[in-house]
């Protein structure tokens, strides 16, 4: 199978968990897997594709663990507003009008942005998920998908939405050469009454799938949870049985020590969304405390409407910067840890064992940065440059599942011109409807 | 003089102070000035250069009001360290070895990065300033330059450094077609004893120049000032007479209400450096309170060693994001205000009356972004996109003083390949010496 084999020569490879985090050498890809990475040159073989790795920095593809991909259609539509005004006057009235086609083009726009920016895996919690899965299948990206369900409706509608979520999760799990996995996702404890939430836990058990939800994004939401149920959100979700399933919660900005203990004990992952949390003025999550308690903390962009881009380099940098500035400790969230949050911990948070690191036996999901540029020179510490100096725009090549999907900054799998035009038309159509 | 006239047609232009902050229309440049901007097409003339502005977003060039440009040679050399370890074990031993050539290549690297990233004016406080001025002259950028003087030395050496600072300020003020202006700059109250600081104030009076210094970057420094002089830094500098000169202070992270009042009363500008303040864990400046008190707040990158890039879009976005997240108010530092801090207020802070806005009679210092890209679509609010979604890498063209210096992302005035090579060699040379 030599024609499915690629050797990268003379590259520099980031292995942020290692003692020596920048490895100079070689990496071999066979089919969808990394079969070798090391300093010694592999024996030459006929029919093997050779990639010249000099001038490039290779790193694991970025893993975006929370988002609502189609919301890129509303990027910049209502900024600098109070949260309730933004939601009630801007987001919800527009989202109500979203058709399957809108979701298709919004998702396409986001996936294009993510691929070109080095994100190789994303989580999406939204509606019209069949259309999202279509984009994933076509684009070559890896994704964990779920129908996000708001349960503030009649029991009949609730049950219908739950059935949809179950059908989607069952139909798509393992599809697109295994690039798609699924989860069960009630939207949030404040939008899903307890009895409805419990039905999701039961479904997750039945389907043997993990769970995802929004949790403790705002202070107000925590206070409301206490008023409604007499418990803070973490204890509330524990009581509803969510943590009997492998679980990931998004945001988790407002936590007390006891809640951090519960999350750690149940091995619940936290998707930290620094850009969105700052922009919506939700606050600054206790990331250092979570990491110290052994909680898996990963990074997410949230939807582009509250970010306002899907640049995971920016989330990595924000995570490395804000926790230093707010805590007063310049050693908080050092560069290797920020990078692991954006890659290895991200993959673990969404239960993908073979993604997130450059190592033999792992899926060949990796990216290459052009490092011969003024803002990435001199070459003092390339891991530091990737975290503190680089951006999505420095991504030169992207491989997912062993296939190259971005080459010299151009996406090989999607029609960029058509997507940009269709996304603009979709937005204009929403304004008119 | 029709061959010195350019008309931009069908462009979109950002005027963040206006009621309608995105103007669709035309802009005319004659020699070094903007002579017209408006919705009506100017009469056609022979010999006029026409620029097609469709697909582009025009905005004022970014103004970086605090930095140490040659420090890009130390980008990534010592991150995630406590401030004193970083300074004493990493920065100072290396900076001591800097030659004029190191400063020349470090500054060239930074100016190249800034030009390609849309920064058209920068402030530099450093040593070997003649070499910095050479780079400014060659590159076409606009700069306010000053010898930054640390006075922790004998009176003889102090006087020699002061004489150097005065000679530099006098020789270069108004040079390079007026693109260079100068200021007097004692490094900081904690590195310049009061009597020495006062000599700078006197020199600034004699030369009729403004003053710049670091102030209240860390909490420790404020405490030290109180211990040494019985005053907080703002009152201390007021007592030394600094504010009798037009002044700009960098950082100003740790201020009380009284100090904000003094700064406002004397019309002292503040260069806010959010990236550096977060990375060095200095804290979060009281930007909203400063703006509410009528203080001119502008943005600076600081040196690349504590940032770690010179992307002013990132500073603009950080300023718009962190003050929301930390205050809990999502309307704090809205996009138009963040952009004015990075342009108009920046120019005012360094006493350049004709820079920082797109308007007839202003200097033709402006940039064009490529807005037909996935992360800048749909075109909902282009000012918002420039602040929340764009980066240095989206800059397509740059004009300064009426001359184009960056075209399709390529710098027309500097040799990029040579600078990248020389900067790397300089860093390697410093390691060996």
């Amino acid at each position: 199978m030599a024609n499915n084999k690629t050797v990268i020569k003379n590259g520099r490879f980031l292995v942020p968990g290692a003692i020596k985090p920048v490895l100079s050498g070689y990496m071999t890809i066979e089919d969808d897997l990394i079969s070798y990475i090391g300093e010694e040159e592999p024996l030459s073989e006929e029919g093997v594709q050779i990639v010249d790795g000099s001038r490039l920095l290779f790193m694991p593809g970025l893993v975006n663990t929370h988002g609502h991909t189609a919301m890129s259609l509303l990027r910049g539509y209502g900024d600098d507003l109070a949260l309730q005004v933004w939601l009630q006057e801007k987001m919800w009235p527009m989202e109500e009008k979203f058709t399957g086609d809108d979701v298709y083009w919004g998702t396409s726009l986001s996936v294009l942005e993510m691929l070109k920016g080095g994100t190789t895996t994303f989580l999406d919690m939204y509606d019209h998920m069949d259309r999202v899965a279509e984009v994933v299948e076509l684009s070559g990206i890896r994704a964990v998908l779920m129908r996000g369900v708001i349960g503030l409706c009649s029991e009949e509608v609730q049950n219908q939405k739950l059935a949809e979520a179950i059908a989607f999760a069952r139909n798509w799990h393992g599809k697109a050469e295994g690039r798609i996995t699924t989860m069960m996702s009630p939207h949030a404890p404040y939008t899903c009454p307890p009895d409805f939430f419990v039905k999701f836990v039961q479904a997750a058990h039945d389907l043997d799938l993990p769970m995802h939800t929004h949790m403790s994004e705002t202070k107000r939401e925590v206070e409301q949870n206490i008023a409604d149920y007499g418990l803070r959100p973490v204890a509330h979700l524990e009581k509803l049985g969510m943590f009997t399933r492998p679980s990931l919660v998004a945001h988790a900005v407002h936590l007390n020590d006891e809640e951090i203990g519960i999350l750690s004990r149940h091995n619940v992952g936290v998707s930290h969304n620094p850009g969105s949390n700052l922009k919506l003025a939700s606050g600054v999550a206790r990331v250092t405390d979570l990491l110290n308690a052994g909680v898996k903390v990963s990074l997410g962009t949230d939807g582009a409407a509250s970010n306002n881009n899907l640049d995971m380099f920016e989330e990595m940098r924000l995570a490395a910067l804000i926790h230093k500035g707010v805590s007063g400790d310049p050693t908080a969230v050092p560069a290797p840890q920020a990078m692991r949050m954006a890659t290895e911990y991200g993959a673990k948070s969404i239960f993908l064992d073979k993604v997130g690191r450059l190592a033999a036996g792992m899926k060949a999901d990796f990216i290459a940065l052009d490092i011969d540029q003024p803002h990435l020179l001199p070459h003092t510490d390339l891991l530091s440059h990737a975290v503190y100096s680089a951006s999505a725009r420095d991504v030169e090549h992207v491989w997912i599942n062993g296939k190259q999907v971005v080459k010299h900054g151009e996406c090989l799998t999607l029609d960029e011109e058509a997507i940009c035009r269709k996304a603009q038309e979709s937005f204009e159509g929403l304004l008119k409807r």
Side-chain angles (χ1 to χ4, degrees), chain A residues 170-185:
Chain A
R170 182 180 282 138
N171 292 344
W172 285 96
H173 191 67
K175 293 288 163 64
E177 305 96 47
R179 287 182 286 109
I180 294 177
T181 51
T182 60
M183 290 170 85
M184 290 305 289
S185 183

Side-chain angles (χ1 to χ4, degrees), chain A residues 130-147:
Chain A
D130 290 319
R131 306 303 304 276
V132 174
E134 276 179 52
V135 178
V136 173
E137 199 159 34
L138 177 68
S139 65
I141 202 166
R142 194 181 298 284
V144 48
L145 305 178
M146 60 214 69
R147 166 79 155 97

Side-chain angles (χ1 to χ4, degrees), chain A residues 25-288:
Chain A
Y26 302 83
M27 188 165 80
T28 305
I29 298 101
E30 290 186 63
D31 298 320
D32 58 335
L33 298 177
I34 296 168
S35 59
Y36 170 80
I37 177 167
E39 292 179 1
E40 278 185 44
E41 184 165 2
L43 291 175
S44 67
E45 274 178 82
E46 264 183 52
V48 169
Q49 198 196 336
I50 303 292
V51 173
D52 175 19
S54 53
R55 300 179 57 107
L56 295 172
L57 177 67
F58 294 86
M59 55 178 276
L62 296 158
V63 179
N64 183 350
T65 62
H66 183 70
H68 313 288
T69 321
M71 287 186 82
S72 59
L73 285 190
L74 303 179
R75 185 200 315 273
Y77 181 71
D79 289 317
D80 305 319
L81 297 171
L83 183 65
Q84 290 310 313
V85 178
W86 179 69
L87 283 174
Q88 290 170 16
E89 293 180 21
K90 294 285 182 174
M91 294 298 115
W92 292 343
M94 287 290 265
E95 286 186 281
E96 225 170 37
K97 294 190 273 182
F98 272 30
T99 63
D101 281 351
D102 292 324
V103 168
Y104 182 85
W105 293 115
T107 302
S108 296
L109 185 70
S110 289
V111 168
L112 184 61
E113 181 187 350
M114 288 194 280
L115 285 177
K116 286 165 68 100
T119 295
T120 54
T121 301
F122 73 103
L123 177 149
D124 197 17
M125 177 212 278
Y126 211 64
D127 197 358
H128 301 283
M129 292 306 295
D130 290 319
R131 306 303 304 276
V132 174
E134 276 179 52
V135 178
V136 173
E137 199 159 34
L138 177 68
S139 65
I141 202 166
R142 194 181 298 284
V144 48
L145 305 178
M146 60 214 69
R147 166 79 155 97
V149 174
I150 293 181
L152 304 171
C153 47
S154 70
E155 204 185 324
E156 194 189 335
V157 178
Q158 279 185 351
N159 288 335
Q160 182 198 318
K161 286 179 172 183
L162 174 62
E164 258 179 60
I166 291 172
F168 174 78
R170 182 180 282 138
N171 292 344
W172 285 96
H173 191 67
K175 293 288 163 64
E177 305 96 47
R179 287 182 286 109
I180 294 177
T181 51
T182 60
M183 290 170 85
M184 290 305 289
S185 183
H187 172 270
Y190 68 92
T191 57
C192 290
D195 54 343
F196 187 48
F197 207 102
V198 165
K199 289 185 185 173
F200 273 84
V201 177
Q202 185 57 52
H205 273 294
D206 296 342
L207 296 163
D208 193 20
L209 289 176
M211 292 191 67
H212 182 51
T213 195
H214 294 101
M215 191 196 75
S216 304
E217 181 176 2
T218 66
K219 206 174 154 193
R220 179 175 159 177
E221 178 193 325
V222 175
E223 286 160 1
Q224 192 61 46
N225 206 90
I226 296 169
D228 289 348
Y229 308 117
L231 291 171
R232 292 177 64 90
V234 175
H236 177 65
L237 293 181
E238 186 185 32
K239 187 178 166 197
L240 298 181
M242 175 167 170
F243 305 148
T244 62
R245 296 303 310 158
S247 291
L248 172 68
V249 293
H251 303 301
V253 175
H254 300 277
L255 299 176
N256 66 22
D257 291 347
E258 197 190 332
E259 289 178 293
I260 292 176
I262 299 173
L263 295 175
S264 170
R265 202 155 59 242
H266 291 289
N267 199 23
V268 177
V270 167
S271 178
H272 175 43
N273 294 195
S276 173
N277 294 162
L278 291 172
K279 182 146 187 292
L280 298 176
S282 305
V284 178
R286 295 177 59 188
V287 164
T288 304

